[in-house]
Amino acid sequence: MAASFDRVNHDILMGLVAKRVTDKRLLKLIRGFLTAGVLEGGLVSPTEEGTPQGGPLSPLLSNLMLDVLDKELEKRGHRFVRYADDCNIYVRSRKAGERVLASIEKFLERRLKLKVNKAKSAVARPGVRKFLSFSFTWGKKPRRRIAPQAIARFKARVRELTRRQSGRSLEQIIGKLSLYLKGWRGYFGFCQTPSVLRKLDEWIRRRLRAIVWTQWKHGPARFDELRRRGVGRELALKAAGNPRGPWRLANSSILTMALPNIFFARLGLPSVAAPRTA
């Protein structure tokens, strides 16, 4: 089961903070952070509950608040994982999940005046739910995988960075793309499904080959470029005169021969499938 929380009670939160922080000036500063209000349309609306979305202090305050929940789950012997206000509890059956969810809802409302966000909470198999953009494979030995929603976001961003009609050189495109890929790999390289990462590498290189093919523009130039890159005359003629679009041609053995993986690596393209470094 998975649960998320909203509508944090400021008085209860500050009481929990005060158990760990004795400096009254700091407590006053934290209270001011919580009640600073929200600017919308030029007007400031007061905030009487909750922590500011995206605020640098919010995850820490959530951890202080929900440490109470952690201790309760440990006392009950549950297996769980939590980051800020996102929590997954692992049980053996759907029936047990429904029972635990109902019980935890009551505990949170009674002890912390917290309400579980119904829209973001559910009882489901771990492979269906996601946590911090990760999920699990099926089978007796589940493996950590990237959630489908995260892969969809990744592909959407790569498409933005590799538009064929952007007017930028291949080197410029790879320069910007590499920054995104390095950051993404630094987080998602933690997954246990390397085949997914290898397929993403192949997909990215196919997009880049389509860009190069588009930039070569017309038959004669394409023929000359293929020949210059070691493709035989007959194959170069066949590819240069092919009426298929860049995306189809980018998956051909001829273009792979002319623009091998090492070509993109030398231009600075990182692999998302490469092992993470410390």
Side-chain angles (χ1 to χ4, degrees), residues 54-81:
L57 198 57
S58 295
L60 177 59
L61 293 176
S62 293
N63 282 333
L64 284 171
M65 184 82 162
L66 294 172
D67 184 58
V68 177
L69 172 63
D70 293 347
K71 287 181 169 55
E72 178 67 17
L73 293 173
E74 288 172 357
K75 188 173 82 172
R76 297 186 186 190
H78 289 309
R79 293 184 177 183
F80 68 97
V81 59

Side-chain angles (χ1 to χ4, degrees), residues 238-257:
K238 181 180 178 182
N242 196 314
R244 291 178 176 176
W247 181 246
R248 294 284 296 274
L249 265 296
N251 203 37
S252 68
S253 59
I254 297 174
L255 221 53
T256 302
M257 184 192 311

Side-chain angles (χ1 to χ4, degrees), residues 33-67:
F33 169 78
L34 292 172
T35 59
V38 178
L39 181 63
E40 290 183 289
L43 299 175
V44 177
S45 302
T47 49
E48 298 177 354
E49 58 183 15
T51 57
Q53 285 289 329
L57 198 57
S58 295
L60 177 59
L61 293 176
S62 293
N63 282 333
L64 284 171
M65 184 82 162
L66 294 172
D67 184 58

